[in-house]
Amino acid sequence: MPNFDLSQRVAFVTGGNGGIGLGMAKGLAEAGATVVIAGRNRAKADAALAELRTLSEADFVELDVLDEASCRKAIDATAARFGRLDILVNNAGTTVRKQPQDLTTEEWRRVMDTNLTSAFVCAQAAYPHMKRGGGGKIINIGSMMSIFASSYAAPYSASKGGIVQMARALAVAWAKDNIQVNCILPGWIDTDLTRTARAQVPGLNERVL
């Protein structure tokens, strides 16, 4: 028996076709939620859906988190199809591993927009659907770098620090609507995003292990 029952609930997970996002999607599906994973890679999503559909109803929606209209369209379409939206997991993320002096402004903006701005846009898009349904849960994926810094990840660290404060602000603003907003700060997890880090960053093994 699951620890809690999410049957009749609809969850939307950005970047849900792999890594932490797929892990979150599986957990939600195991608890009975209908899960919609959102991303750009349809082929990768098909493999994820095959796993998720052994647990619960699941679907994929195309989403470019750098495009505000795409974020709003994907969330509105999910709520329209299933009649509700109960859970949003803001998981989509990227990084650029360089020393601060070597970063371009475009690289900084891309990381910030992917990791932080998109989370705000998706939360804002989800808000009216959750309010209309009587409440909801928004789970933001931060990082251990929300707390401590790294010389090779200035924009990533800044975005993950920012998502904590954003979650706090949204939690205070939307508590009256019975919408809980939280942030999870994972440690080192072996995903596609982190798998190449040991090769790219000299001495990382010694610092992490």
Side-chain angles (χ1 to χ4, degrees):
M1 178 177 291
N3 291 327
F4 50 93
D5 183 9
L6 294 179
S7 57
Q8 310 304 314
R9 298 289 188 264
V10 176
F12 185 97
V13 184
T14 68
N17 55 5
I20 293 173
L22 180 55
M24 295 287 290
K26 287 179 180 177
L28 293 164
E30 286 173 353
T34 295
V35 179
V36 176
I37 56 175
R40 292 178 298 180
N41 190 328
R42 178 75 211 209
K44 188 176 179 181
D46 285 342
L49 285 175
E51 292 186 69
L52 292 171
R53 285 173 174 162
T54 65
L55 302 169
S56 185
E57 183 175 4
D59 205 353
F60 168 77
V61 63
E62 189 172 340
L63 170 69
D64 180 356
V65 295
L66 294 177
D67 183 340
E68 178 180 351
S70 177
C71 292
R72 297 186 186 281
K73 180 180 178 181
I75 286 178
D76 289 347
T78 296
R81 176 177 176 183
F82 294 103
R84 60 189 302 132
L85 179 62
D86 303 284
I87 301 162
L88 166 65
V89 180
N90 281 316
N91 167 75
T94 192
T95 190
V96 175
R97 298 185 182 98
K98 290 183 178 180
Q99 291 293 307
Q101 68 272 17
D102 298 325
L103 285 161
T104 66
T105 304
E106 188 279 330
E107 288 170 333
W108 173 275
R109 288 175 176 158
R110 175 158 46 89
V111 175
M112 293 294 288
D113 287 348
T114 300
N115 297 358
L116 181 57
T117 305
S118 74
F120 173 75
V121 172
C122 287
Q124 194 178 56
Y127 171 75
H129 301 295
M130 291 182 175
K131 182 178 180 181
R132 185 162 51 249
K137 314 287 185 182
I138 298 176
I139 303 164
N140 300 287
I141 306 302
S143 167
M144 57 186 178
M145 290 185 191
S146 298
I147 299 171
F148 64 82
S150 170
S151 65
Y152 60 86
Y156 184 85
S157 298
S159 69
K160 293 303 186 177
I163 206 167
V164 172
Q165 289 302 102
M166 184 197 76
R168 287 171 171 160
L170 297 184
V172 171
W174 295 344
K176 67 183 186 302
D177 301 307
N178 193 33
I179 298 173
Q180 288 82 53
V181 185
N182 290 285
C183 197
I184 297 172
L185 311 184
W188 185 266
I189 295 177
D190 185 26
T191 68
D192 290 343
L193 186 64
T194 63
R195 200 159 290 138
T196 58
R198 289 185 171 90
Q200 290 179 319
V201 183
L204 184 60
N205 282 332
E206 291 76 9
R207 290 198 293 272
V208 172
L209 299 178

